[in-house]
Amino acid sequence: MSLKYAETHLDDLVSAADRGEEVEITRPEKPPLKLVVVAESAARPSGKRILGAGRGEFRVPSEEEWRAMDEELARQMNDNPLFPSSKS
């Protein structure tokens, strides 16, 4: 179906996708679009945030790890072909 049709019948197309039907929308001079139902929402759950709910999910790097990351980042930035080293 065309993009123009999809604009005016979006509710029907969403219902069809909910039923598991394949919904493809054609566009002039562009690849077609496919309307699908996503199993899980990537959005954050709504509601009250609980202090400490993420405990144990993150680890703060040690001072040595921070230094190593800084050195690696500096090496990647300074030795990159976009920014050639002045050593040559």
Coordinates of all heavy atoms in Angstrom, one line a residue:
M1 N 0.8 -1.2 0.0 CA 0.0 0.0 0.0 C 0.9 1.2 0.0 O 2.0 1.2 0.4 CB -0.9 0.0 1.2 CG -0.3 0.4 2.5 SD -1.0 -0.3 3.9 CE -1.2 -2.0 3.5
S2 N 0.3 2.3 -0.4 CA 1.1 3.6 -0.5 C 1.2 4.3 0.8 O 0.4 4.1 1.7 CB 0.5 4.5 -1.6 OG -0.8 5.0 -1.1
L3 N 2.2 5.2 0.9 CA 2.3 6.0 2.0 C 1.1 6.9 2.3 O 0.7 7.1 3.4 CB 3.6 6.9 1.9 CG 4.0 7.8 3.1 CD1 4.3 6.9 4.3 CD2 5.2 8.6 2.7
K4 N 0.5 7.4 1.2 CA -0.7 8.2 1.4 C -1.8 7.5 2.0 O -2.5 7.9 2.9 CB -1.1 8.8 0.0 CG -2.1 9.9 0.0 CD -1.4 11.1 0.6 CE -2.3 12.3 0.4 NZ -1.8 13.4 1.1
Y5 N -2.0 6.2 1.6 CA -3.0 5.4 2.1 C -2.7 5.1 3.6 O -3.6 5.1 4.5 CB -3.1 4.0 1.4 CG -4.1 3.1 2.0 CD1 -5.5 3.1 1.6 CD2 -3.8 2.1 2.9 CE1 -6.4 2.2 2.1 CE2 -4.7 1.3 3.4 CZ -6.0 1.3 3.0 OH -6.9 0.5 3.6
A6 N -1.5 4.8 3.9 CA -1.1 4.5 5.3 C -1.3 5.7 6.2 O -1.7 5.5 7.4 CB 0.4 4.2 5.3
E7 N -1.1 6.9 5.7 CA -1.4 8.1 6.5 C -2.8 8.2 6.9 O -3.1 8.6 8.1 CB -1.0 9.4 5.7 CG 0.5 9.6 5.6 CD 0.9 10.7 4.7 OE1 0.0 11.3 4.0 OE2 2.1 11.1 4.6
T8 N -3.7 7.9 6.0 CA -5.2 8.0 6.3 C -5.8 6.8 7.0 O -6.9 6.9 7.6 CB -5.9 8.3 5.1 OG1 -5.7 7.3 4.1 CG2 -5.5 9.7 4.5
H9 N -5.1 5.7 7.0 CA -5.6 4.4 7.6 C -4.6 3.8 8.6 O -4.6 2.6 8.8 CB -5.9 3.4 6.5 CG -6.9 3.8 5.5 ND1 -6.7 4.6 4.4 CD2 -8.3 3.7 5.6 CE1 -7.8 4.8 3.8 NE2 -8.8 4.3 4.5
L10 N -3.9 4.7 9.3 CA -2.9 4.2 10.3 C -3.5 3.2 11.4 O -2.9 2.2 11.7 CB -2.2 5.3 10.9 CG -1.0 4.9 11.8 CD1 0.0 4.1 11.1 CD2 -0.4 6.2 12.5
D11 N -4.7 3.6 11.9 CA -5.3 2.8 12.9 C -5.6 1.4 12.4 O -5.3 0.4 13.1 CB -6.6 3.4 13.4 CG -6.4 4.6 14.3 OD1 -5.3 4.8 14.8 OD2 -7.4 5.4 14.4
D12 N -6.1 1.2 11.2 CA -6.3 -0.1 10.6 C -5.0 -0.9 10.4 O -5.0 -2.1 10.7 CB -7.0 0.1 9.3 CG -8.4 0.7 9.4 OD1 -9.0 0.5 10.5 OD2 -8.9 1.4 8.5
L13 N -4.0 -0.2 10.0 CA -2.7 -0.8 9.8 C -2.1 -1.3 11.1 O -1.5 -2.4 11.1 CB -1.8 0.1 9.0 CG -2.2 0.5 7.6 CD1 -1.3 1.5 7.0 CD2 -2.4 -0.7 6.7
V14 N -2.2 -0.5 12.1 CA -1.7 -0.9 13.4 C -2.4 -2.1 13.9 O -1.8 -3.1 14.4 CB -1.8 0.3 14.4 CG1 -1.5 -0.2 15.8 CG2 -0.8 1.4 14.0
S15 N -3.7 -2.2 13.7 CA -4.5 -3.3 14.1 C -4.1 -4.6 13.4 O -4.0 -5.7 13.9 CB -6.0 -3.0 13.9 OG -6.5 -2.0 14.7
A16 N -3.8 -4.4 12.1 CA -3.4 -5.5 11.3 C -2.0 -6.1 11.8 O -1.8 -7.3 11.9 CB -3.3 -5.1 9.8
A17 N -1.1 -5.2 12.1 CA 0.2 -5.6 12.6 C 0.0 -6.3 13.9 O 0.7 -7.3 14.2 CB 1.1 -4.3 12.7
D18 N -0.9 -5.8 14.8 CA -1.2 -6.4 16.1 C -1.7 -7.9 15.9 O -1.4 -8.7 16.7 CB -2.2 -5.6 16.9 CG -1.6 -4.5 17.6 OD1 -0.4 -4.5 17.9 OD2 -2.3 -3.5 17.9
R19 N -2.4 -8.1 14.8 CA -2.9 -9.5 14.5 C -1.9 -10.4 13.9 O -2.1 -11.5 13.6 CB -4.1 -9.4 13.6 CG -5.4 -8.8 14.2 CD -6.6 -8.9 13.3 NE -6.4 -8.4 11.9 CZ -6.7 -7.1 11.6 NH1 -7.2 -6.3 12.5 NH2 -6.5 -6.7 10.4
G20 N -0.7 -9.8 13.6 CA 0.4 -10.6 13.1 C 0.5 -10.5 11.6 O 1.3 -11.2 10.9
E21 N -0.3 -9.7 11.0 CA -0.2 -9.5 9.5 C 1.0 -8.7 9.1 O 1.4 -7.8 9.9 CB -1.5 -8.8 9.0 CG -2.8 -9.6 9.2 CD -4.0 -8.9 8.7 OE1 -3.9 -8.1 7.8 OE2 -5.1 -9.1 9.3
E22 N 1.5 -9.0 8.0 CA 2.7 -8.2 7.5 C 2.1 -7.0 6.8 O 1.3 -7.0 5.9 CB 3.4 -9.1 6.4 CG 4.7 -8.4 6.0 CD 5.6 -9.3 5.2 OE1 6.0 -10.3 5.6 OE2 5.9 -8.9 4.0
V23 N 2.6 -5.8 7.2 CA 2.2 -4.5 6.7 C 3.4 -3.8 6.1 O 4.3 -3.5 6.8 CB 1.6 -3.6 7.8 CG1 1.2 -2.3 7.2 CG2 0.4 -4.3 8.5
E24 N 3.3 -3.7 4.8 CA 4.4 -3.0 4.0 C 3.9 -1.8 3.4 O 2.8 -1.8 2.7 CB 5.0 -4.0 3.0 CG 6.3 -3.5 2.4 CD 6.9 -4.6 1.5 OE1 7.5 -5.5 2.1 OE2 6.8 -4.5 0.3
I25 N 4.7 -0.7 3.5 CA 4.2 0.6 3.0 C 5.3 1.0 2.0 O 6.5 1.1 2.3 CB 4.2 1.6 4.2 CG1 3.2 1.2 5.2 CG2 3.8 3.0 3.6 CD1 3.2 2.0 6.5
T26 N 4.8 1.3 0.8 CA 5.7 1.7 -0.3 C 5.8 3.2 -0.3 O 4.9 4.0 0.0 CB 5.2 1.2 -1.7 OG1 3.9 1.7 -1.9 CG2 5.2 -0.3 -1.7
R27 N 7.0 3.7 -0.7 CA 7.3 5.1 -0.8 C 7.9 5.4 -2.2 O 8.7 4.6 -2.7 CB 8.2 5.6 0.3 CG 7.7 5.2 1.7 CD 8.7 5.7 2.7 NE 10.0 4.9 2.6 CZ 11.0 5.2 3.3 NH1 11.0 6.2 4.1 NH2 12.1 4.5 3.2
P28 N 7.6 6.5 -2.8 CA 8.2 6.8 -4.1 C 9.7 7.0 -4.0 O 10.2 7.7 -3.1 CB 7.6 8.2 -4.5 CG 6.6 8.5 -3.5 CD 6.7 7.5 -2.3
E29 N 10.4 6.3 -4.8 CA 11.9 6.4 -4.9 C 12.6 6.1 -3.6 O 13.8 6.6 -3.4 CB 12.3 7.7 -5.5 CG 11.7 8.0 -6.8 CD 12.1 9.4 -7.4 OE1 13.1 9.9 -7.0 OE2 11.3 9.9 -8.2
K30 N 12.0 5.3 -2.7 CA 12.7 4.9 -1.4 C 12.3 3.5 -1.1 O 11.3 3.0 -1.6 CB 12.2 5.8 -0.3 CG 12.7 7.3 -0.4 CD 12.4 8.0 0.9 CE 12.9 9.4 0.8 NZ 12.5 10.2 2.0
P31 N 13.1 2.8 -0.3 CA 12.8 1.4 0.0 C 11.5 1.4 0.8 O 11.2 2.3 1.5 CB 14.0 1.0 0.9 CG 15.1 2.0 0.7 CD 14.4 3.2 0.2
P32 N 10.8 0.3 0.7 CA 9.5 0.2 1.5 C 9.8 0.1 3.0 O 10.8 -0.3 3.4 CB 8.9 -1.1 0.9 CG 10.0 -1.9 0.4 CD 11.0 -0.9 -0.1
L33 N 8.7 0.4 3.8 CA 8.8 0.3 5.2 C 7.9 -0.9 5.6 O 7.0 -1.2 4.9 CB 8.2 1.6 5.9 CG 8.9 2.9 5.5 CD1 8.0 4.0 6.1 CD2 10.3 2.9 6.1
K34 N 8.3 -1.5 6.7 CA 7.5 -2.6 7.3 C 7.1 -2.3 8.7 O 7.9 -1.9 9.5 CB 8.3 -3.9 7.3 CG 7.5 -5.1 7.6 CD 8.4 -6.4 7.7 CE 8.7 -6.8 6.3 NZ 9.3 -8.1 6.2
L35 N 5.8 -2.4 8.9 CA 5.2 -2.1 10.2 C 5.1 -3.4 11.0 O 4.5 -4.3 10.6 CB 3.8 -1.5 10.1 CG 3.1 -1.0 11.3 CD1 3.9 0.1 12.0 CD2 1.7 -0.5 11.0
V36 N 5.9 -3.4 12.1 CA 5.9 -4.6 13.0 C 5.7 -4.2 14.4 O 5.9 -3.1 14.8 CB 7.3 -5.3 12.9 CG1 7.5 -5.8 11.5 CG2 8.4 -4.4 13.3
V37 N 5.3 -5.2 15.2 CA 5.1 -5.1 16.6 C 6.4 -5.5 17.3 O 6.9 -6.6 17.0 CB 3.9 -6.0 17.1 CG1 3.7 -5.9 18.6 CG2 2.6 -5.6 16.4
V38 N 6.9 -4.6 18.2 CA 8.1 -4.9 18.9 C 7.7 -5.7 20.2 O 6.8 -5.2 21.0 CB 8.9 -3.7 19.3 CG1 10.1 -3.9 20.1 CG2 9.2 -2.9 18.0
A39 N 8.3 -6.8 20.5 CA 7.9 -7.6 21.6 C 8.1 -6.9 23.0 O 7.2 -6.9 23.8 CB 8.7 -8.9 21.6
E40 N 9.2 -6.3 23.1 CA 9.5 -5.6 24.4 C 9.8 -4.1 24.1 O 10.5 -3.8 23.2 CB 10.7 -6.2 25.1 CG 10.3 -7.2 26.1 CD 11.6 -7.6 26.9 OE1 12.3 -6.8 27.4 OE2 11.7 -8.8 27.1
S41 N 9.3 -3.3 24.9 CA 9.5 -1.8 24.7 C 10.9 -1.5 25.2 O 11.4 -2.0 26.3 CB 8.5 -1.0 25.5 OG 8.8 0.3 25.4
A42 N 11.6 -0.7 24.4 CA 13.0 -0.3 24.8 C 12.9 0.9 25.8 O 13.9 1.3 26.3 CB 13.8 0.1 23.6
A43 N 11.7 1.5 26.0 CA 11.5 2.6 26.8 C 11.7 2.2 28.3 O 11.5 1.1 28.7 CB 10.1 3.2 26.7
R44 N 12.1 3.1 29.1 CA 12.3 2.9 30.5 C 10.9 2.7 31.2 O 10.0 3.3 30.8 CB 13.0 4.1 31.2 CG 14.4 4.3 30.7 CD 15.0 5.5 31.3 NE 15.4 5.1 32.6 CZ 16.0 5.9 33.5 NH1 16.1 7.1 33.2 NH2 16.4 5.4 34.7
P45 N 10.9 1.8 32.1 CA 9.6 1.6 32.8 C 9.2 2.8 33.5 O 10.0 3.5 34.1 CB 9.9 0.4 33.8 CG 11.4 0.3 33.9 CD 11.9 0.9 32.6
S46 N 7.9 3.1 33.5 CA 7.5 4.3 34.2 C 7.2 4.0 35.6 O 7.1 2.8 36.0 CB 6.2 4.8 33.5 OG 5.2 3.9 33.5
G47 N 7.1 5.0 36.4 CA 6.8 4.8 37.8 C 7.9 5.4 38.7 O 8.8 6.1 38.2
K48 N 7.8 5.2 39.9 CA 8.7 5.8 40.9 C 10.1 5.1 40.8 O 10.2 3.9 40.6 CB 8.1 5.6 42.3 CG 8.5 6.6 43.2 CD 7.7 6.5 44.5 CE 7.8 7.7 45.3 NZ 7.1 7.6 46.5
R49 N 11.1 5.9 40.8 CA 12.5 5.3 40.8 C 12.8 5.0 42.3 O 12.5 5.7 43.2 CB 13.4 6.4 40.3 CG 13.2 6.6 38.8 CD 13.9 7.8 38.2 NE 15.3 7.9 38.6 CZ 16.1 8.8 38.1 NH1 15.6 9.8 37.3 NH2 17.3 8.9 38.5
I50 N 13.5 3.9 42.4 CA 13.9 3.4 43.7 C 15.4 3.5 44.0 O 16.2 3.0 43.2 CB 13.5 1.9 43.9 CG1 12.0 1.7 43.7 CG2 13.9 1.3 45.2 CD1 11.5 0.3 43.5
L51 N 15.7 4.3 45.0 CA 17.1 4.5 45.4 C 17.8 3.2 45.6 O 17.3 2.4 46.4 CB 17.2 5.4 46.6 CG 18.6 5.8 47.0 CD1 19.3 6.6 45.9 CD2 18.5 6.6 48.3
G52 N 18.9 2.9 45.0 CA 19.7 1.7 45.2 C 19.2 0.5 44.3 O 19.8 -0.6 44.4
A53 N 18.3 0.7 43.4 CA 17.8 -0.4 42.6 C 18.8 -0.9 41.6 O 18.8 -2.1 41.3 CB 16.6 0.1 41.8
G54 N 19.8 -0.1 41.3 CA 20.9 -0.5 40.4 C 22.1 -1.0 41.1 O 23.2 -1.2 40.4
R55 N 22.1 -1.2 42.4 CA 23.2 -1.6 43.1 C 23.8 -2.8 42.6 O 23.1 -3.8 42.3 CB 22.9 -1.7 44.6 CG 24.1 -2.1 45.4 CD 23.8 -2.1 46.9 NE 23.7 -0.7 47.3 CZ 22.8 -0.3 48.2 NH1 21.9 -1.1 48.7 NH2 22.7 1.0 48.5
G56 N 25.1 -2.8 42.4 CA 25.8 -4.0 41.8 C 25.9 -4.1 40.3 O 26.5 -5.0 39.8
E57 N 25.2 -3.2 39.6 CA 25.2 -3.2 38.2 C 26.4 -2.5 37.6 O 26.7 -2.7 36.4 CB 23.9 -2.6 37.6 CG 22.7 -3.5 37.9 CD 21.4 -3.0 37.3 OE1 21.5 -2.3 36.3 OE2 20.3 -3.3 37.9
F58 N 27.0 -1.6 38.3 CA 28.1 -0.8 37.9 C 29.2 -0.9 38.8 O 29.1 -1.1 40.0 CB 27.6 0.7 37.8 CG 26.4 1.0 36.9 CD1 25.2 1.1 37.5 CD2 26.6 1.0 35.5 CE1 24.1 1.3 36.7 CE2 25.5 1.2 34.7 CZ 24.2 1.3 35.3
R59 N 30.4 -0.7 38.2 CA 31.6 -0.8 39.0 C 32.5 0.5 38.7 O 32.7 0.7 37.5 CB 32.4 -2.0 38.8 CG 33.6 -2.2 39.6 CD 34.4 -3.5 39.3 NE 35.0 -3.4 38.0 CZ 36.2 -2.8 37.7 NH1 36.8 -2.1 38.6 NH2 36.6 -2.8 36.5
V60 N 32.9 1.2 39.7 CA 33.8 2.4 39.4 C 35.2 1.9 39.2 O 35.7 1.1 40.0 CB 33.7 3.3 40.6 CG1 34.6 4.5 40.4 CG2 32.3 3.8 40.8
P61 N 35.8 2.3 38.1 CA 37.2 1.8 37.8 C 38.2 2.4 38.9 O 38.0 3.4 39.4 CB 37.5 2.4 36.5 CG 36.2 2.8 35.8 CD 35.3 3.1 37.0
S62 N 39.2 1.6 39.1 CA 40.3 2.0 40.0 C 41.1 3.2 39.4 O 41.0 3.4 38.2 CB 41.2 0.9 40.4 OG 42.0 0.5 39.2
E63 N 41.9 3.8 40.2 CA 42.7 4.9 39.7 C 43.6 4.4 38.6 O 43.8 5.1 37.6 CB 43.6 5.5 40.9 CG 44.4 6.7 40.5 CD 43.6 7.9 40.2 OE1 42.5 8.1 40.7 OE2 44.0 8.8 39.3
E64 N 44.2 3.2 38.7 CA 45.1 2.7 37.7 C 44.3 2.4 36.4 O 44.8 2.7 35.3 CB 45.7 1.4 38.1 CG 46.7 1.5 39.3 CD 46.0 1.6 40.7 OE1 44.8 1.1 40.8 OE2 46.5 2.3 41.5
E65 N 43.1 1.9 36.5 CA 42.2 1.7 35.3 C 41.9 3.0 34.6 O 41.9 3.1 33.4 CB 41.0 0.9 35.7 CG 41.2 -0.5 36.1 CD 40.0 -1.2 36.7 OE1 39.3 -0.6 37.5 OE2 39.8 -2.4 36.3
W66 N 41.6 4.1 35.4 CA 41.3 5.4 34.8 C 42.5 5.9 34.0 O 42.4 6.3 32.9 CB 41.0 6.4 35.9 CG 39.5 6.4 36.4 CD1 39.1 6.1 37.6 CD2 38.3 6.6 35.6 NE1 37.8 6.2 37.7 CE2 37.2 6.5 36.5 CE3 38.1 7.0 34.3 CZ2 35.9 6.7 36.0 CZ3 36.8 7.1 33.8 CH2 35.7 7.0 34.7
R67 N 43.7 5.7 34.6 CA 44.9 6.2 33.9 C 45.1 5.4 32.6 O 45.5 6.0 31.6 CB 46.1 6.0 34.8 CG 46.2 7.1 35.9 CD 47.6 7.1 36.6 NE 47.5 8.0 37.7 CZ 47.6 7.7 39.0 NH1 47.9 6.5 39.3 NH2 47.6 8.6 39.9
A68 N 44.9 4.1 32.7 CA 45.1 3.2 31.5 C 44.1 3.6 30.4 O 44.4 3.7 29.2 CB 44.9 1.8 31.9
M69 N 42.9 3.9 30.8 CA 41.8 4.4 29.8 C 42.2 5.7 29.2 O 42.1 5.9 28.0 CB 40.5 4.4 30.5 CG 39.9 3.1 30.8 SD 38.2 3.1 31.3 CE 38.4 3.6 33.0
D70 N 42.7 6.6 30.1 CA 43.2 7.9 29.6 C 44.3 7.8 28.6 O 44.3 8.5 27.5 CB 43.6 8.8 30.7 CG 42.4 9.4 31.5 OD1 41.3 9.3 31.0 OD2 42.7 9.9 32.7
E71 N 45.3 6.9 28.9 CA 46.4 6.7 28.0 C 46.0 6.1 26.7 O 46.4 6.5 25.6 CB 47.5 5.8 28.7 CG 48.2 6.5 29.8 CD 49.0 5.6 30.7 OE1 49.2 4.4 30.3 OE2 49.6 6.0 31.7
E72 N 45.1 5.1 26.8 CA 44.5 4.5 25.5 C 43.8 5.5 24.7 O 43.9 5.6 23.5 CB 43.6 3.3 25.9 CG 42.9 2.7 24.7 CD 43.9 2.0 23.7 OE1 45.1 1.8 24.1 OE2 43.4 1.7 22.6
L73 N 43.0 6.3 25.3 CA 42.2 7.4 24.6 C 43.2 8.4 23.9 O 43.0 8.7 22.8 CB 41.2 8.1 25.5 CG 40.4 9.2 24.9 CD1 39.5 8.6 23.7 CD2 39.5 9.9 25.9
A74 N 44.2 8.8 24.7 CA 45.2 9.7 24.1 C 45.9 9.1 22.9 O 46.2 9.7 21.9 CB 46.2 10.2 25.2
R75 N 46.3 7.8 23.1 CA 46.9 7.1 22.0 C 46.1 7.0 20.8 O 46.5 7.3 19.6 CB 47.3 5.7 22.4 CG 48.2 4.9 21.4 CD 48.3 3.5 21.7 NE 47.1 2.7 21.7 CZ 46.4 2.4 20.6 NH1 46.8 2.8 19.4 NH2 45.3 1.7 20.7
Q76 N 44.8 6.7 21.0 CA 43.9 6.6 19.8 C 43.7 7.9 19.1 O 43.6 8.0 17.9 CB 42.5 6.0 20.3 CG 42.5 4.6 20.6 CD 41.2 4.1 21.2 OE1 40.3 4.9 21.3 NE2 41.1 2.8 21.5
M77 N 43.6 9.0 19.9 CA 43.4 10.3 19.3 C 44.7 10.8 18.6 O 44.6 11.4 17.6 CB 42.9 11.3 20.4 CG 41.5 11.0 20.9 SD 41.0 12.1 22.2 CE 41.0 13.7 21.4
N78 N 45.8 10.7 19.3 CA 47.1 11.2 18.8 C 47.7 10.4 17.7 O 48.4 11.0 16.8 CB 48.0 11.5 19.9 CG 47.5 12.5 20.9 OD1 46.8 13.4 20.5 ND2 47.8 12.3 22.2
D79 N 47.5 9.1 17.6 CA 48.2 8.3 16.6 C 47.2 7.9 15.5 O 47.5 7.0 14.8 CB 48.7 7.0 17.3 CG 49.8 7.3 18.3 OD1 50.4 8.4 18.2 OD2 50.1 6.4 19.1
N80 N 46.1 8.6 15.4 CA 45.1 8.3 14.4 C 45.5 9.0 13.1 O 46.1 10.0 13.1 CB 43.8 9.0 14.8 CG 42.6 8.5 14.0 OD1 42.6 8.7 12.8 ND2 41.6 8.0 14.6
P81 N 45.3 8.3 11.9 CA 45.7 8.9 10.6 C 45.1 10.3 10.4 O 45.6 11.1 9.7 CB 45.1 7.9 9.6 CG 44.9 6.7 10.3 CD 44.7 7.0 11.8
L82 N 43.9 10.6 11.0 CA 43.3 11.9 10.9 C 44.2 13.0 11.5 O 44.3 14.1 11.1 CB 41.9 11.9 11.5 CG 41.1 13.1 11.3 CD1 40.9 13.4 9.8 CD2 39.8 13.0 12.0
F83 N 44.9 12.6 12.6 CA 45.8 13.5 13.3 C 47.2 12.8 13.4 O 47.6 12.2 14.4 CB 45.3 13.8 14.7 CG 44.0 14.4 14.8 CD1 42.9 13.6 15.2 CD2 43.8 15.7 14.5 CE1 41.6 14.1 15.3 CE2 42.5 16.2 14.5 CZ 41.4 15.5 14.9
P84 N 48.0 12.8 12.3 CA 49.3 12.1 12.2 C 50.2 12.6 13.3 O 50.2 13.8 13.7 CB 49.8 12.4 10.9 CG 48.9 13.3 10.2 CD 47.7 13.6 11.1
S85 N 51.0 11.7 13.8 CA 51.9 12.0 14.9 C 53.0 12.9 14.3 O 53.4 12.8 13.1 CB 52.5 10.8 15.4 OG 53.5 11.1 16.4
S86 N 53.6 13.8 15.1 CA 54.6 14.7 14.6 C 56.0 14.0 14.7 O 57.0 14.6 14.4 CB 54.6 16.0 15.4 OG 54.8 15.7 16.8
K87 N 56.0 12.7 15.2 CA 57.2 12.0 15.3 C 57.9 11.7 14.0 O 59.0 11.4 13.9 CB 57.0 10.7 16.1 CG 56.5 10.9 17.5 CD 56.1 9.6 18.1 CE 55.4 9.8 19.4 NZ 54.8 8.6 20.0
S88 N 57.0 11.6 12.9 CA 57.5 11.1 11.6 C 58.4 12.2 10.9 O 58.2 13.3 11.0 CB 56.4 10.8 10.7 OG 55.5 9.9 11.3

